[in-house]
Amino acid sequence: MDYLTIFTERSGDLINALLEHILISSIAVILGCILAIPLGIFLTKTSIRWVHSVAFTITNIFQTIPSLALLAMLIPLLGIGLVPAITALFLYSLLPILRNTYAAFESIDPEIIQSAKGMGYSSMQRLFQIELPIAMPYIMSGIRLTTIYIISWATLATLIGAGGLGQLIIGGLGVYNKPLIFAAAVISMVLALITDFILGVVEKKIFDRK
C-alpha cells in the first residue's frame, strides 16, 4: 500500500471520516453563529458596559484554553463522543464571530442610522434592511476565519471518540501506517482550502452587492 493507492483502497473509510469531519465542524460553526451573531448585535445596542466585559471575557477564556485541555475538561461533564467535541469546538467559535459582529455594527456610520430613523424605519427595519446588510461582509469574514480554525481543531476531536479525519490520523500513528496518515492529513488540508475558497467567494459576492 503506497501513498497513491491508499486513496482508492481505503476510499470508504476516508469518505466516511470526511463526512464526519464536515458534520462536526458544520454543527459547531452553525451553533456559534446562532449565539455569537445575536449576542454581538445585542452588545452594540445596550449601554450596560459590564455586559460587554462579561461577554468578551468569557468567550476570550474559552479561546485561550488549549484544545486538549478543554476536551479533557468536558469529558467528566459530557462523556466522550460527538457531544463534547462539538461543544468544545462551539465554544472556540464564539470569540471571532462575536468580535467581528460587534466591530461590524459599531463601525456603521451613525448618520445612516439617523437618516433611517428620519425616514420612519422601525428598529427592526433598520436592523434587517440597513444595519445587517452593511455589517454582513465583516460578519462573513469572521465566520470564514472561524470555520477554517474549527476544521483544523476538529482533528483532535477523535481523542474523545468523535470520529472524523483525526481518527484515521491517530489510527495511522498507532500502527505506523504512513500512507493512511498522509491521506487523512491531505484530505483535511484540502477540505480547509476548499471551504476557505467557497466562503471567500460568498464573502466577495456580499461585498459586491453592497
Side-chain angles (χ1 to χ4, degrees), residues 134-164:
I134 294 175
M136 186 54 68
Y138 305 99
I139 296 174
M140 274 300 304
S141 179
I143 294 173
R144 179 182 177 184
L145 178 65
T146 301
T147 303
I148 303 307
Y149 284 154
I150 295 302
I151 289 174
S152 301
W153 290 330
T155 56
L156 295 175
T158 187
L159 296 175
I160 56 173

Side-chain angles (χ1 to χ4, degrees), residues 4 8 10 13 19 44-45 47 59 66 94 109 115 125 127 136 174-175 191 195-198:
L4 294 179
T8 55
R10 298 292 297 273
D13 294 333
L19 294 177
T44 62
K45 305 299 181 183
S47 58
T59 53
L94 292 176
D109 190 342
S115 298
Q125 286 176 322
L127 174 61
M136 186 54 68
V175 296
L191 173 62
T195 302
D196 182 59
F197 173 76
I198 293 173

